[in-house]
Amino acid sequence: MSVSFALARSAGRRVLWFLFVGSLIVFMIGPIVWLGLRAFSGLWLYPQLLPKQWTVNGWRQVFNDPNLSHSMKLSFEFAPVVTVASAAICLPAAYAFSRYKFPGRRFLLISLFAVNAFPKIGLYISMAGVFYSLNLMATFLGVVIVQLIGTIVFMTWIPAAAFSAIPRSLEEAARDVGAGPLRVFFRVTFPLAAPAIFVAMILSFLASFDEAQGTFLVGVPKYITMPTEMYTLVLNYPEQVAAVFALLLAVPSVLLMALVRKHVMGGKLAEGFQLR
Amino acid sequence: MRRRELREGAQGLLMVLPPVAVIAVFIGFPVVAAIAYTLGRAGGPNSVVASLGQRQFIVQHGVTLDAYRDVLGNKTIHRDLWATVWVTVLATLVVVVVSWAIALYLRLADTRLARIVSGLSVVPLFIPVVIASYAMLVFYSSDGFMRSVAYHLGWHSFPTLGFTLWCVFLAEVWVNIPFGVLMMSSGLNGVPNNLIEAARDSGASMPRVVRSILLPMNVIPTVIVATFTAIYVLGSFTVPYLTGPTAPNLLGPSMSNFFSAFNQPQQAEVLAIVVFVLALGIGAVYVWANVRTGKRSAVAP
């Protein structure tokens, strides 16, 4: 028997639950739907619940504005660079954390998680302070480093958990029949861990693509990516243009997250926050 | 045998070195430099930023707390600090309670409504924070959905929440709900069904099952959700910057203002250290909770 007893027996409780779910729907979905409508509205006056005129002018304006299209290009440059750099730095470490015993393993693992223990904006402010001396302010590398910081934890942890989940006996069996360590890794270990590595890379891509506050602090005025452009858009552009740009910025997130949805819901993300 | 162990250890250390080095160089080192700078030391890594900044409190020898005095004596900062603490506490509380409720509902009810709720609660995962903040702002603005609906329902003076701390609070909750629900669900799903059924069979009421079985077995995820939400809110810039008032706002935007707009990097870094200290207490709880789970799962891998 599955655990599915009626939680709300009485009618009163049922009404309460529906109220809770109803307000949850409005609270979670409302803002996004409302923003979507804004992107197509020509004339919309309070307190109308729908725009009076519909238009696609905002879309035209966004694609014709050289600033905006440049920031889109930049975003698509940074995110892949950060993802590849993060994978190169973190994947060997993930393997080592799961397979090797070495002094200080626990301490080093916890020190990686220290990233999460610092409030982000404070961290970026301190980083920006020394970035002047390191000649990293308003440079490509500086922005890459700032975005990279936000990817290290799950780029290490999610693959590490995947490596740990692979039975050692499989690797040992391959080695028994004469495969060298590299061959074992690429023919046995890596293919089994690949889905988790893929998830970690998607999440890194998105973390980099959506990172705004650190990029804003370190990259301005030279490197204005899509999310940082939003800061200016909200203040200086017509509301409709900002809405269009926001929707465009959400597209990669929605598509890529949909791709890894199952893994994230299945607890991969949650696992990433528990040290072991 | 001994030699092989040594070699493996060395190899492992070498392989974990790159991310650890990145953390040490780009987090550890800047934080240490920031502490030195806020205490009045402007040499070494701080020399360039100190040559650019204004209204600095620098000493050649020893340390000075003048920068801290300057910042913490500032009335505007006082209000920002209180705003930060309040929004952090409130948002954390609401995120913990709501995600507990949703996760519990998902754990116990297997209905279509439950699946809708579960789908809804992770929507923010798909939306970048910048957009979320902007969407919240527009939703609660003077011509936003909430005010429009309230108007049609006859409530003509529904408050404008956009550009107030309330909007910041709501947006922080919105952004943090998915993580809360995922963590709590993953924790509650770890509780075996037969444990709950056994309790039910021997006559325990549903609230009793929640109180005596689910609650104690889900303490660690709860602590993790609380600490992470609190640290997230403390360190947030985008949400308060886009949805909040000019003043008093959270410390994130004021830090950024001091750094860029006012060109007072020392004051900005003092605020950063203040936020670190606030987070330190919270972070300690997080690490403690994790070490505890670590010990527990070390027994049963």
Side-chain angles (χ1 to χ4, degrees), chain A residues 38 51 57 63 65 98 107 127-128 137 143 149 158 173 184 195 216:
Chain A
R38 287 263 151 188
N57 265 338
F63 282 106
D65 192 312
S98 101
F107 172 76
M127 284 171 80
M137 277 308 249
V143 174
I149 293 295
I158 296 175
V184 170
F216 181 60

Side-chain angles (χ1 to χ4, degrees), chain A residues 141-267:
Chain A
L141 185 63
V143 174
V144 168
I145 291 168
V146 162
Q147 298 188 351
L148 182 73
I149 293 295
T151 68
I152 283 184
V153 170
F154 44 71
M155 202 48 141
T156 309
W157 182 255
I158 296 175
F163 286 131
S164 296
I166 298 168
R168 268 172 198 247
S169 54
L170 274 178
E171 293 172 349
E172 277 154 16
R175 206 167 290 185
D176 284 346
V177 293
L182 274 180
R183 201 177 146 96
V184 170
F185 179 79
F186 282 108
R187 298 300 290 272
V188 178
T189 317
F190 183 76
L192 286 171
I197 293 174
F198 180 70
V199 171
M201 289 186 80
I202 296 273
L203 292 179
S204 293
F205 186 94
L206 286 181
S208 154
F209 194 85
D210 299 340
E211 207 293 317
Q213 43 196 37
T215 311
F216 181 60
L217 210 60
V218 170
V220 159
K222 221 169 148 196
Y223 295 102
I224 305 203
T225 57
M226 277 178 92
T228 34
E229 187 74 56
M230 271 304 286
Y231 292 140
T232 341
L233 269 175
V234 171
L235 301 173
N236 303 334
Y237 277 70
E239 214 171 58
Q240 197 204 351
V241 176
V244 170
F245 198 71
L247 285 192
L248 281 175
L249 177 53
V251 169
S253 292
V254 171
L255 290 180
L256 291 176
M257 277 306 286
L259 210 60
V260 296
R261 189 178 153 270
K262 278 218 180 84
H263 298 269
V264 173
M265 312 286 230

